């Protein structure tokens, strides 16, 4: 599982990047500590700031402050550099 934190366009991109990462990390910590999820199942915790807003939602909307889960296919992302 990949946990992705998102932010909105209120504040700087750098601040929202940090906040979105903290948001995703808090969800990871909850899943591991309270829900009993094996930490090995969580392959990545990332923050993407406001770089992936919801469609048809204003970029400064609170709805863009969210966490999403993506399954890990085991394959690198298309934009991921593989040595």
């Amino acid at each position: 599982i990949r946990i992705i934190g998102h932010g909105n366009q209120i504040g700087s991109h750098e601040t929202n990047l940090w906040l979105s990462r903290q948001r995703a990390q808090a969800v990871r910590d909850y899943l591991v500590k309270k829900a009993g999820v094996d930490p090995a199942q969580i392959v990545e915790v990332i923050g993407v700031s406001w770089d992936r807003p919801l469609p048809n939602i204003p970029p400064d909307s609170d709805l863009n402050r969210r966490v999403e889960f993506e399954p890990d296919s085991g394959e690198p992302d298309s934009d991921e550099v593989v040595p």
Side-chain angles (χ1 to χ4, degrees):
I1 298 172
R2 182 174 287 115
I3 302 174
I4 305 165
H6 298 267
N8 64 9
Q9 285 189 350
I10 296 175
S12 71
H13 189 270
E14 183 177 288
T15 298
N16 273 285
L17 189 59
W18 181 83
L19 285 170
S20 60
R21 174 74 164 83
Q22 293 301 309
R23 187 173 286 123
Q25 185 65 43
V27 169
R28 181 228 178 259
D29 292 347
Y30 178 87
L31 290 173
V32 170
K33 293 176 185 172
K34 302 283 186 177
V37 172
D38 179 358
Q41 291 182 303
I42 301 171
V43 297
E44 190 173 26
V45 176
I46 61 172
V48 295
S49 186
W50 62 55
D51 296 332
R52 298 185 196 173
L54 291 168
N56 303 317
I57 300 291
D60 61 349
S61 171
D62 287 346
L63 295 174
N64 282 310
R65 295 177 179 171
R66 67 193 191 281
V67 173
E68 295 181 332
F69 301 91
E70 288 182 355
D72 180 49
S73 65
E75 297 294 322
D77 291 338
S78 59
D79 58 351
E80 194 173 320
V81 176
V82 179

